[in-house]
Each structure stands twice: as C-alpha cells, then as structure tokens.
Amino acid sequence: MDELVYFYPEGHEAHQEAGHPERPARIETIRQWLQEAGWWDQYPHLEPLNLSMEFLSTIHTPEYLKRLEKFSGLALSLDGDTYTTRASWQLALNAAGGSAAVAGAVWRGQGQRGFALNRPPGHHATASAGMGFCLLNNIAIAAQYVLKHPLENAPNARKLAIVDLDLHHGNGTQDIFWERNDLLFISTHQSPLYPGSGSLEERGAGEGLGCTANFPLPPATGDTGYLTIMEGCILPLLDRFAPEMVLVDVGFDPHWRDPLGHLRLSAAGYGTLISRLTGWADQHCDGKIALFTEGGYDLEAGAACAQAAVAALLGQPWEDPIGPSPRPDGESWWMVYQKAREIWQLS
Ligand SMILES: [Zn+2]
C-alpha cells in the first residue's frame, strides 16, 4: 500500500481569467512547496477516472451538466464570480474524476491517505448550479463514487463524513446531501460571509435530519477556537455518526494572511486540525482519510497550509515558516461553541 496518493490537475492553467483570485498559481505554488518538502515525486499521481454522465447525474441535474458544457464551449461566465474557458468543462470533469480516483484508492486500500489538488474547485456547486468559482462539486462526486458507484474488488461504503474547513460555507455540498443519512456533512466557516448560509440551525431534513452540522465562526476565531471546536464538537460528532472514511475539504482561506477572510488560523494550526482528523481516522476507520482542495488566495499561506496538512497525513514533523497571526485571537467563538454543544447535546 502506498502511504499517500495524489491527484494533480494536469493542464489546469487553461482554466483562468485575468485578475481573478482563483488562479493557476494557487495550485502551482502548493505543488512547488510539496516538492521542496520532499513529499511530491515519490508518491503516485492518479489519473482522473472517466465518469459517465449517468453517474454525474446522481449529483448534478442533467440540465446543469448540459448548461455547464455549453457555457464552457462559449467561454461564458455562470455568474458574476464564476468564469469558464473553453477548457473548463474537460478540466472540471478531470477534477471530479481525479477526486473520485483518490477517494476510491483510499477506500480500497491502494493508498493509506489521499490528496486531490483540485482546480476548478467545487464545494459551492449545488445540484443545479455552479457558483462561487466552483463548477462541479468534486468532493460530493468523490463521496458518491465510494457510496454508490460499482467498485472493482470492494464493496461500497455505507457511511462517509465530509469535513469542510474552507473559509466559506460549503453550501453546494450541504444542498446535495441535505436529505441523505449516508453522509455526515460538517462545515466550519466565517460568518457572516459569502454565500450567507451555514447557520447552527441548518441540520439537514427528512432522513438527513442531524446529518449536517454547521459551525459559523466569528472573525478572529484563531487556532485555539478552531481546536476547541474540533475536539469538543467535530470529533464527538464523528464518533456518533461512525463514518467508514473521512473526506476533508481543505480550503486554505481560513489562514490569517488570506485576503478574503479574517479567521486568523495559522498554518501550524491547520496542520493540528488535520492531525486530529487523521488520528480519528486511524482509531476508527483504518486510517482512511483523503483531502480535496478548495479555496485559499494567499499563495504562500495556501502552500504552507498544504505542507502542514501533508505533514499531518504522513505523521512527519514540520515547522511553520509563516508563523501565527500578529494580531490576537478574539473570544466570541466561545458563544458558537457553547450553542453548538447545546444543539447537538454534546455536554
Ligand atoms: Zn473559500
């Protein structure tokens, strides 16, 4: 078994728009930093799976898939934030197929851990619409692949968890799994902020009631607030749901240097969060954990968080070259923590 398997989005530079923050240098800087740390070349890089439209239609509506292909063919924007180029449709299929390949490899035991470097990103894409720089919901497709797609030499998983650590609420992923009880969706995100959803009270519906958990964090939450919520809420929720594998959406925009957010997380703090999740996976699901990139718009902060995350996956020591925020953490996250403990009856 390989210790780690990657997906790298070959050709992703063809998805770009001048001046847009979701740009190729984000992934290229991460790749360079992983290479410099000695954590890149020796691990397998998986080819994207060729997923059928029939399978993709179990996550996105057929109408949206057709619309995305058509808009990409004409290089039109889906909304004010979300551009396409003529290469975007194929690159979105590659990111979704690469994410499914990584999740499948970890699920089958081909790799102990997985890391998909995705462009275009995915977690804002709902069943019927791309938005917020996102075209296809890569992590939702990866989870669905392990839950529902016929697999060679392996049964499907019965229950998975997605933990979304991006600065922004993963509204698309929440929307897709809202009424399902085979996936626990947990999101930490700054609030208020785009896209505006993700309150403590949003907990799923129907059979999925209690399978969505949101942690809307105030600005300046910082490392201590994040770690307290990880240990006091997120890990206990994983204990309760007992997923057979953990998929982590690693937006690196909670970092204190990110231009889009104010959560004041450090790269070392980010690594600690990933090592807690990895430790949980080691104890409860044979170490099956895979990461999928989302946002992160300060190039060096994103690359430092990615290094911290890979160090955590591999259980290797790592030093944060950027360090903690020069400004102190706030304390108002405590209210969210207390309220969440109450709502979820964790005390
Ligand atoms: Zn984000």
Side-chain angles (χ1 to χ4, degrees), residues 65-80:
L65 293 169
K66 280 190 203 113
R67 179 166 176 260
L68 178 59
E69 183 178 15
K70 184 176 153 198
F71 273 51
S72 171
L74 300 166
L76 295 173
S77 291
L78 297 177
D79 65 22

Side-chain angles (χ1 to χ4, degrees), residues 206-229:
E207 283 188 358
L209 182 62
C211 297
T212 292
N214 284 300
F215 298 91
L217 305 175
T221 287
D223 290 7
T224 307
Y226 261 102
L227 189 58
T228 307
I229 286 164

